[in-house]
Amino acid sequence: MRPVEVSSVSVEGADLAEVRDRLEGQRPEGFDLVSSPVEMIKGAAVLKAVGTFARRDGVTEVEADDMDALLAKVPEGWQLLNVRTA
């Protein structure tokens, strides 16, 4: 399981490369960029994007005897990623 956390930031740039660089500069540690729709500003030579970052670190394992017990161990604000049977 891992924590569920997202963060968004707005950036502007003259081209896609600049938008990408600015988004990367705003990326919090442990987060990945998961969405960044880009739009052109009408009447200007500027691109605007809203980057959405999602936390991808903090993965931890939990064990339980059955699925109900496993789900009970997943705290609020966390998501279950994978289930294995042993």
Side-chain angles (χ1 to χ4, degrees), residues 50-86:
V50 176
T52 301
F53 301 94
R55 181 173 287 284
R56 295 297 189 233
D57 64 352
V59 175
T60 186
E61 291 189 14
V62 293
E63 294 183 8
D65 293 331
D66 59 37
M67 191 64 178
D68 288 335
L70 180 64
L71 292 174
K73 289 185 172 186
V74 179
E76 182 74 28
W78 287 69
Q79 71 182 132
L80 199 55
L81 298 173
N82 190 16
V83 177
R84 296 186 300 237
T85 57

Side-chain angles (χ1 to χ4, degrees), residues 38-54:
V38 176
E39 64 181 273
M40 294 183 76
I41 305 297
K42 188 174 182 175
V46 175
L47 298 175
K48 180 180 178 180
V50 176
T52 301
F53 301 94

Side-chain angles (χ1 to χ4, degrees), residues 9 11 17-28 31-33 53:
V9 63
V11 298
E18 186 177 349
V19 168
R20 183 186 62 236
D21 290 344
R22 289 186 181 197
L23 285 170
E24 181 58 32
Q26 296 291 320
R27 183 178 63 84
F31 286 68
D32 287 341
L33 182 63
F53 301 94

